[in-house]
Amino acid sequence: MGMKRYFLSFLAAYAASVAAFLGMLLIGLAYWFMTDSPLWFDVLCVVVVALPVLALGEVFGRRPKARQVKNTGRYLLILLAVMTVMAFLSAAGDVFQMLSWPGLLLGNAIQTLLGGAGYWDGAFIILGNLIIPVLFHIGWRWGSNP
């Protein structure tokens, strides 16, 4: 039961992150359809997409039955494996790429910060997808610790 609670909570947090991405995408298209968006908006997009995963991890971790969930480290490893597969599948088709938009955005933000070349694009996409379950796990731990 603990594994199911943890994974469903992550799925809800991830869905919120995808919804935040879509919202920011629509705002960006509405204001900067023909030009590049400003840097402040790009930074805001990264924060708005990453924050729901962390915040909902904490909210779900605060629930009374969430404290009964044990072995969250093992569950995190499973999520990391799933998100790594999602990163590889994002190159396979548009549907998988749409599902991994938050990870792609975070990976591109890290690449921009570090100034990575085109050779490392795949590594940044994987890294962006791995950050999401880690943020959720951190939020879960904050919420479940008394």
Side-chain angles (χ1 to χ4, degrees):
M1 187 64 172
M3 179 188 281
K4 182 179 173 184
R5 182 174 308 280
Y6 188 82
F7 288 145
L8 287 177
S9 297
F10 174 76
L11 186 61
Y14 191 75
S17 180
V18 171
F21 180 88
L22 288 172
M24 295 305 285
L25 179 67
L26 290 175
I27 291 170
L29 288 175
Y31 286 101
W32 300 285
F33 183 66
M34 295 295 207
T35 61
D36 289 338
S37 59
L39 179 62
W40 66 267
F41 184 76
D42 294 341
V43 171
L44 181 65
C45 284
V46 171
V47 171
V48 166
V49 168
L51 201 56
V53 178
L54 182 66
L56 288 176
E58 183 176 4
V59 168
F60 290 134
R62 285 189 186 274
R63 299 183 72 185
K65 290 192 177 187
R67 295 174 197 225
Q68 298 170 358
V69 177
K70 304 295 182 212
N71 300 326
T72 57
R74 190 169 33 156
Y75 304 152
L76 173 63
L77 292 176
I78 293 170
L79 285 177
L80 290 173
V82 168
M83 293 305 286
T84 302
V85 170
M86 284 290 294
F88 284 114
L89 288 177
S90 68
D94 290 339
V95 174
F96 293 113
Q97 187 175 16
M98 287 174 21
L99 288 175
S100 64
W101 273 342
L104 293 171
L105 178 69
L106 293 175
N108 286 334
I110 294 168
Q111 181 179 11
T112 301
L113 283 175
L114 297 178
Y119 180 76
W120 293 100
D121 283 349
F124 289 115
I125 292 170
I126 293 170
L127 183 61
N129 276 309
L130 293 179
I131 288 174
I132 294 172
V134 170
L135 287 174
F136 175 78
H137 186 74
I138 290 169
W140 183 276
R141 297 294 294 198
W142 283 345
S144 64
N145 288 337

